[in-house]
Amino acid sequence: MATEESEDHGHFLPAVRDWPRGYGEASWWPFVTAIGLLVVYTGASLYVIGRGTDLVSSSIGLGAFAAGWAVTVLGMFGWIYQAFIVDFWDRGSHNGGSSLRLGMLLFLGTDIATFGAGFAYYFFIRAGGWHTEYLPESGILTSVLVINTVLLVVSSFTIHWAEGQLQKGNHQGFIQGLLVTFLLGVVFIGGQIYEYYEFIVHEGFTLTSGVFASAFFGLTGIHGLHVSFGVLLLGILLVRGLRGQYDADRHVSVTTVSWYWHFVDAIWLFLVAVVYIGSVFGTEFSPF
Amino acid sequence: MAVSPELVFSVLMGLLLLVVAGWLTRLEDWQAYTPVGGGGYGESTGHGHEEKPAGLTRWLTTVDHKDLGILYSLFGIVAFAWGGITAMLMRVELTTPGMDFLASFGGVGLYNALLTTHGITMLFLFAAPLIFGFANYMVPLLVDADDMAFPRINAIAFWILPFATILMWAGFFLPLVGIDIQAAKTSWTLYTPLSSTMQGTGVDVFLLGFHLSGFSTTMGAINFIATIVAERDSVSVPWSKLDIFSWTILTQGGLILFAFPILTAAVTMLLLDRNFGTMFFAGEGGGAMLWQHLFWFFGHPEVYILVLPPMGLVSLILPKFAGRKLFGFKFVVYSTLAIGILSFGVWAHHMFTTGMNPRLTASFMAISLAIGIPSAVKVFNWITTLWNGKLRMTAPMLFSVGFVQNFIIGGVTGVFLAAVPFDLVMQDTYYVVGHFHFIVFGAIGFALFAAMYYWFPIMTGRMYDRRLALWHFWLSIIGGNITFIAMLILGYGGMPRRYATYLPQFMTWHAVATVGAFIMTFGVVAFIWNIWQSAQYGKRVDSGDPWNLKQSDQFTNEWQWYEGKRQTMLADGGEEDADDAESNAAD
């Protein structure tokens, strides 16, 4: 059924050389990815069942959760490898990558909505009666915050610079810019972990510490996951770049990942202004 | 008892091993692999051997939009059966005022669980996937694209869905094998504090499945938008020639983009509240109001996510059997876009009785009344399309006309509800239930049936049984109107929704509603039997134009593609290939 129209319709065959070998227009990777997600969510379910009852130990749930992610990531890597990475130079680009660029923009649109729900909660409580006992004892504005913000803003410039070098044909400069961006991202995550550690262990300010803690850990947590995912994407770009991929004409994924990175940076600046500074504004912690 | 969850897990792992085993069997004849250019796929699996594994593997690995469209549709029909069974169990219970029929199975608790799963299933697992099924199959053909923009994401999005469904329905099936988790009894709106404090891990398992299913829908929406915008053949299908169904799918995608992530985020917060001690929806935090705002900010666009593509289907199908082009095509497109934009500004009309600021309620009332205007524009366009047309009362046409009829009742009752004073009286009564069932079954369901019959020849190569289709239509429209009008009357009488038992004064109309529901059920049985039988044994379609669309110059892209496919098959050597392709499609 699939092959007939592939001839008269000039069909785009996405998976002709898939591994393990597909069946014409077919691939195992989507199914593997979905199975992985099923195991992730089943693991989470078993974890919850284990906490709520004695039917199952919740560590089995955690194990399945981790195993599920491994399968999911395997599936996604297989898919991306087959669809984009192998034979990079031979396969040519499909409609100049405009579908992929649009796909990333649309994804970022959904992300605005995702963060929007979290911010809606925060505005909801911030606009109500606001008490400083919601905040950690020594305040929320730390030197780590300043350093992290600087790092992330700089990393937006470095990835932009790297992209520019690629377009000028300077592959070496592109790799260097990408590497610096990647390292800045890693250091940012380290800083975030350190900040969490300080709050949770030294200040006793944890996820369950009240209405502000929910907003703080919820929003910085989901942002941290986004940064981590971005670092993973930058790592993939880096490996592909080191293998000699990308040039001035073929760099769709560099563009889309850099959009993603700028987006995560912008969200961070909004988050700093609203959640960090906004939470102490008008209280005795306020530096202004 | 203690082993059982492990057992479930083992089964999942076993499934994974099966996949691995599947690879290995394929690896064996790795050398014999011929790339698709040489027609390898057809030779290696279609003709050589017909055992199940090859057939099954084909469906598990497909990234073809047409295969996935068929899979989505089959999944939608399975979910429809579950949604229908749960509805009938409730209707039988509601025949009498007391708790009797369900009493020995779980009583009021079971009723509440059925109520929850019926709503969730019909909206998220029947209507949306069936829409996606038709869109998957037809949109790439209608816009002259080679496939969806992201074929693999398309496949991931589909496969997530049945897996999420396993978790969403687990609360009903796990107790049967001795794992006593309670099915969610939160109602589909999941209002806090009920949902955040309700005991039982079944709620969490359900929420996790629900969470997962949201990713499927969002991925699908991104894919459809990218397909229509970037994969469309801009020479043969410029924006000015884009068909109405694709327009509605495009608008639907835009709504999903901003609505579904809100739901996913809200469900995440709910899960955190239930399991990790956060305070998102606790009284001190966001409370019940925040949940309602977030939920309905998603929930009202969701109504249009579900109804816009069916409107597109009717706008597409109705003119074909009226022998005229759609009247005022541009205005149907504009009204679609207008509804899409306005739909984000009406959510609080679900919350008029929560005691929110009266100035806010007034503005939400105004926008909710305003959204009736573009909806009415569409209705008048459909009616005018029929005016002086050469009507051919085929099954798809009957369902399209039935759609318009039901949509008028469902729509007008909705305009009443948008008015604050009326809503204050009718909130949480059966009037609301009657109103949205006219929309969800009477309109959305009818349009999907129309599409099923209209495109049945393309999707299966065969024709449905016309007599059964007529039975399906008449039983559905009569049964549907009996049930839902009875519900409206119950609402006027003050019968509150969501209850398993009621005062004896409501018994007559409840009995009427149940009778109507049985009539509908017979119609649905005729439908499923018809689809199942005709796909396998129905009369073969003998031309690329089974609806005589060329006569009225409406032989659109998907039919042209189908005609081309038939000619290619004949040129290829005829019968056997055609048989093969068709029986594959019918699987």
Side-chain angles (χ1 to χ4, degrees):
Chain A
M1 190 171 158
T3 46
E4 289 92 338
E5 65 271 13
S6 65
E7 277 143 31
D8 65 315
H9 223 243
H11 223 81
F12 169 50
L13 298 174
V16 177
R17 295 189 54 193
D18 204 346
W19 187 91
R21 81 173 178 73
Y23 307 91
E25 209 176 335
S27 168
W28 274 108
W29 297 117
F31 191 69
V32 173
T33 310
I35 286 274
L37 285 170
L38 171 65
V39 179
V40 167
Y41 277 78
T42 308
S45 302
L46 290 177
Y47 173 75
V48 171
I49 293 174
R51 278 169 51 119
T53 66
D54 52 3
L55 289 171
V56 59
S57 127
S58 53
S59 54
I60 290 179
L62 285 180
F65 186 78
W69 275 119
V71 177
T72 307
V73 169
L74 174 78
M76 288 168 78
F77 270 114
W79 149 40
I80 290 166
Y81 184 77
Q82 278 306 323
F84 302 107
I85 299 181
V86 70
D87 291 344
F88 175 77
W89 292 110
D90 297 335
R91 74 173 60 233
S93 87
H94 174 65
N95 72 14
S98 61
S99 293
L100 292 163
R101 283 200 297 271
L102 179 61
M104 177 54 87
L105 282 183
L106 295 172
F107 168 72
L108 295 180
T110 67
D111 241 13
I112 289 177
T114 306
F115 278 102
F119 279 114
Y121 165 72
Y122 171 71
F123 292 140
F124 208 86
I125 54 164
R126 185 66 180 85
W130 191 244
H131 307 290
T132 46
E133 61 259 35
Y134 293 154
L135 303 173
E137 274 169 34
S138 62
I140 196 99
L141 302 174
T142 62
S143 53
V144 178
L145 174 70
V146 179
I147 295 167
N148 256 357
T149 306
V150 171
L151 289 181
L152 210 55
V153 172
V154 170
S155 78
S156 240
F157 283 101
T158 57
I159 196 169
H160 185 72
W161 184 81
E163 227 187 327
Q165 291 306 304
L166 186 64
Q167 271 155 359
K168 283 182 197 148
N170 179 5
H171 204 269
Q172 193 65 33
F174 161 67
I175 297 285
Q176 285 162 357
L178 209 55
L179 185 65
V180 173
T181 314
F182 177 79
L183 292 176
L184 287 170
V186 171
V187 176
F188 176 90
I189 295 171
Q192 192 75 36
I193 292 172
Y194 176 73
E195 187 191 38
Y196 273 23
Y197 172 79
E198 284 290 316
F199 280 146
I200 293 170
V201 176
H202 291 149
E203 307 245 345
F205 179 69
T206 68
L207 186 64
T208 54
S209 296
V211 294
F212 177 67
S214 298
F216 175 78
F217 285 104
L219 282 166
T220 57
I222 191 83
H223 180 265
L225 287 177
H226 275 78
V227 175
S228 308
F229 185 60
V231 166
L232 179 71
L233 294 179
L234 288 170
I236 294 174
L237 289 190
L238 203 53
V239 171
R240 291 177 67 178
L242 287 171
R243 283 173 54 166
Q245 300 194 347
Y246 305 123
D247 65 13
D249 301 319
R250 294 282 309 277
H251 57 266
V252 175
S253 51
V254 179
T255 312
T256 51
V257 170
S258 103
W259 286 350
Y260 176 84
W261 194 252
H262 293 316
F263 174 83
V264 170
D265 191 13
I267 293 277
W268 176 254
L269 292 178
F270 186 69
L271 205 152
V272 169
V274 176
V275 176
Y276 282 90
I277 298 174
S279 67
V280 294
F281 198 75
T283 72
E284 70 262 31
F285 291 120
S286 175
F288 310 106
Chain B
M1 275 275 266
V3 209
S4 300
E6 276 94 324
L7 193 74
V8 175
F9 185 52
S10 315
V11 170
L12 294 176
M13 279 304 169
L15 213 60
L16 198 66
L17 285 178
L18 271 181
V19 174
V20 175
W23 289 351
L24 294 178
T25 57
R26 303 310 312 183
L27 277 173
E28 221 172 281
D29 52 350
W30 172 271
Q31 297 299 325
Y33 173 50
T34 37
V36 128
Y41 154 68
E43 277 160 28
S44 59
T45 56
H47 295 265
H49 39 90
E50 288 175 352
E51 321 100 289
K52 261 295 182 216
L56 185 65
T57 313
R58 169 232 159 105
W59 290 104
L60 296 184
T61 59
T62 186
V63 295
D64 182 323
H65 69 98
K66 299 181 293 300
D67 289 352
L68 288 164
I70 289 170
L71 287 172
Y72 264 115
S73 307
L74 285 178
F75 172 80
I77 291 173
V78 171
F80 186 47
W82 172 246
I85 290 167
T86 51
M88 288 316 293
L89 291 174
M90 286 189 289
R91 267 325 323 163
V92 171
E93 169 56 48
L94 288 171
T95 316
T96 51
M99 167 54 58
D100 28 49
F101 173 64
L102 294 177
S104 50
F105 301 106
V108 176
L110 178 62
Y111 182 91
N112 291 343
L114 292 172
L115 180 81
T116 306
T117 196
H118 168 72
I120 291 277
T121 300
M122 286 304 198
L123 295 175
F124 295 90
L125 305 178
F126 158 63
L130 207 50
I131 291 168
F132 271 19
F134 291 123
N136 244 299
Y137 204 111
M138 297 303 164
V139 165
L141 301 178
L142 287 166
V143 305
D144 243 343
D146 298 326
D147 200 306
M148 295 286 283
F150 312 117
R152 285 182 178 80
I153 291 183
N154 199 18
I156 295 176
F158 169 74
W159 284 109
I160 283 178
L161 207 51
F163 295 158
T165 306
I166 294 174
L167 296 176
M168 288 162 79
W169 292 350
F172 289 92
F173 301 121
L174 288 185
L176 298 180
V177 294
I179 305 170
D180 193 22
I181 61 167
Q182 302 274 311
K185 300 173 195 118
T186 52
S187 166
W188 86 281
T189 51
L190 298 163
Y191 282 162
T192 59
L194 177 69
S195 59
S196 56
T197 54
M198 177 173 274
Q199 295 291 311
T201 49
V203 185
D204 299 289
V205 176
F206 162 75
L207 287 172
L208 283 163
F210 195 36
H211 192 264
L212 180 58
S213 77
F215 288 112
S216 166
T217 314
T218 311
M219 284 187 212
I222 291 177
N223 217 341
F224 284 122
I225 297 178
T227 304
I228 295 170
V229 174
E231 300 288 326
R232 183 172 41 85
D233 185 332
S234 55
V235 179
S236 61
V237 190
W239 282 113
S240 56
K241 284 191 185 168
L242 188 63
D243 68 284
I244 188 66
F245 180 54
S246 300
W247 271 114
T248 54
I249 288 290
L250 184 66
T251 314
Q252 179 209 35
L255 299 186
I256 290 175
L257 224 50
F258 295 102
F260 262 80
I262 301 268
L263 174 72
T264 307
V267 168
T268 311
M269 291 190 246
L270 185 56
L271 278 164
L272 289 173
D273 270 11
R274 286 180 59 87
N275 294 292
F276 296 101
T278 53
M279 302 184 74
F280 290 109
F281 302 116
E284 209 186 325
M289 284 299 276
L290 178 68
W291 173 266
Q292 292 200 23
H293 277 300
L294 289 178
F295 182 82
W296 288 117
F297 187 82
F298 146 79
H300 207 84
E302 165 74 358
V303 174
Y304 294 98
I305 286 167
L306 292 178
V307 85
L308 282 176
M311 286 171 162
L313 289 170
V314 168
S315 306
L316 188 87
I317 295 169
L318 202 72
K320 304 290 187 293
F321 300 100
R324 308 180 49 187
K325 297 259 159 62
L326 180 64
F327 182 87
F329 180 92
K330 272 188 191 171
F331 290 91
V332 180
V333 174
Y334 295 154
S335 62
T336 302
L337 298 174
I339 290 175
I341 292 163
L342 288 176
S343 71
F344 279 105
V346 299
W347 81 86
H349 70 214
H350 295 270
M351 302 163 62
F352 284 158
T353 55
T354 55
M356 43 188 272
N357 188 326
R359 276 166 295 193
L360 272 179
T361 57
S363 66
F364 277 104
M365 173 173 97
I367 303 174
S368 303
L369 291 171
I371 209 167
I373 295 169
S375 310
V377 167
K378 284 176 188 298
V379 170
F380 287 118
N381 276 298
W382 292 322
I383 294 174
T384 331
T385 305
L386 295 174
W387 196 264
N388 274 345
K390 285 199 206 89
L391 305 189
R392 290 183 288 154
M393 285 301 170
T394 58
M397 180 60 158
L398 284 171
F399 275 102
S400 298
V401 175
F403 168 99
V404 176
Q405 190 263 182
N406 288 333
F407 181 71
I408 289 173
I409 302 182
V412 169
T413 49
V415 173
F416 280 98
L417 283 173
V420 174
F422 188 84
D423 184 79
L424 292 179
V425 179
M426 286 301 170
Q427 166 84 19
D428 265 336
T429 66
Y430 261 65
Y431 184 85
V432 180
V433 179
H435 151 69
F436 69 70
H437 275 90
F438 262 112
I439 300 292
V440 177
F441 182 79
I444 297 170
F446 269 47
L448 291 171
F449 295 141
M452 185 66 93
Y453 290 123
Y454 178 60
W455 282 321
F456 197 76
I458 291 190
M459 291 174 89
T460 65
R462 292 170 190 270
M463 195 44 107
Y464 57 83
D465 182 319
R466 189 167 174 273
R467 239 163 39 102
L468 279 176
L470 292 184
W471 273 106
H472 175 208
F473 171 74
W474 288 110
L475 291 172
S476 295
I477 192 129
I478 294 170
N481 277 273
I482 291 177
T483 303
F484 307 142
I485 287 175
M487 285 175 171
L488 292 176
I489 295 170
L490 280 168
Y492 278 121
M495 168 77 205
R497 63 192 279 205
R498 298 197 182 100
Y499 281 83
T501 57
Y502 54 85
L503 298 174
Q505 73 210 55
F506 297 116
M507 187 170 154
T508 311
W509 286 107
H510 267 303
V512 170
T514 303
V515 169
F518 271 104
I519 297 175
M520 263 190 283
T521 305
F522 292 128
V524 169
V525 169
F527 165 66
I528 292 178
W529 176 255
N530 192 356
I531 295 295
W532 179 250
Q533 286 291 305
S534 303
Q536 300 174 69
Y537 314 112
K539 185 172 159 289
R540 273 186 205 295
V541 180
D542 49 14
S543 87
D545 186 14
W547 299 122
N548 279 325
L549 300 175
K550 283 177 181 167
Q551 251 179 2
S552 56
D553 195 22
Q554 301 195 76
F555 195 60
T556 43
N557 279 349
E558 82 276 29
W559 293 103
Q560 287 170 20
W561 167 84
Y562 180 62
E563 191 170 54
K565 178 186 160 187
R566 290 178 61 88
Q567 282 162 358
T568 317
M569 286 187 314
L570 290 174
D572 271 358
E575 288 301 307
E576 224 178 300
D577 274 14
D579 277 0
D580 196 45
E582 282 169 17
S583 63
N584 273 341
D587 282 345

